[in-house]
Amino acid sequence: MKKTQIPESFLLKNHEFVPESFWRKITNYDPSERLLLLYLLTNPKRKHSTIYPISLKITAIDIGINDKIVEKMIRKFDADGLTCYANGQINIGNLV
């Protein structure tokens, strides 16, 4: 019997798990806010750091939410102490 080789593209590399504490921290947010928070935690720009550069316009395109709404949600997360967005960089240290 021939062994089947799993294609390289199917293998998960450098992935991160979403910490269980993350889900507890976001229970009071609506689904679109949760989607944005999950995106902030898992997007390709993050790379294992809690502070990284991010474009709110690209974020809006990636998750399918209007960029003005994304900006408003980020301000809410900043006010709530979950994130800190300034000068095109975001700190998500309080999410993890």
Side-chain angles (χ1 to χ4, degrees), residues 35-79:
L35 174 63
L36 177 55
L37 288 166
L38 184 60
Y39 178 85
L40 294 175
L41 189 64
T42 61
N43 79 80
K45 288 279 190 182
R46 179 160 174 249
K47 305 249 193 232
H48 305 297
S49 175
T50 59
I51 301 172
Y52 59 90
I54 192 165
S55 162
L56 297 186
K57 286 191 182 280
I58 292 173
T59 298
I61 292 167
D62 285 351
I63 63 174
I65 297 175
N66 179 286
D67 60 332
K68 299 294 181 201
I69 295 172
V70 166
E71 188 177 334
K72 182 179 175 184
M73 288 191 288
I74 293 287
R75 282 196 307 266
K76 177 180 179 180
F77 302 153
D78 287 357

Side-chain angles (χ1 to χ4, degrees):
M1 189 166 172
K2 185 179 175 186
K3 260 189 168 179
T4 305
Q5 183 73 20
I6 298 173
E8 191 76 18
S9 61
F10 280 61
L11 299 175
L12 295 175
K13 293 182 180 179
N14 300 324
H15 67 285
E16 291 195 27
F17 293 96
V18 176
E20 188 176 325
S21 61
F22 167 81
W23 298 109
R24 288 192 209 112
K25 289 178 184 179
I26 66 168
T27 56
N28 295 327
Y29 294 95
D30 69 43
S32 60
E33 292 169 331
R34 289 179 187 186
L35 174 63
L36 177 55
L37 288 166
L38 184 60
Y39 178 85
L40 294 175
L41 189 64
T42 61
N43 79 80
K45 288 279 190 182
R46 179 160 174 249
K47 305 249 193 232
H48 305 297
S49 175
T50 59
I51 301 172
Y52 59 90
I54 192 165
S55 162
L56 297 186
K57 286 191 182 280
I58 292 173
T59 298
I61 292 167
D62 285 351
I63 63 174
I65 297 175
N66 179 286
D67 60 332
K68 299 294 181 201
I69 295 172
V70 166
E71 188 177 334
K72 182 179 175 184
M73 288 191 288
I74 293 287
R75 282 196 307 266
K76 177 180 179 180
F77 302 153
D78 287 357
D80 291 349
L82 287 177
T83 63
C84 181
Y85 177 78
N87 303 319
Q89 295 215 31
I90 193 151
N91 181 340
I92 60 164
N94 289 337
L95 278 178
V96 291

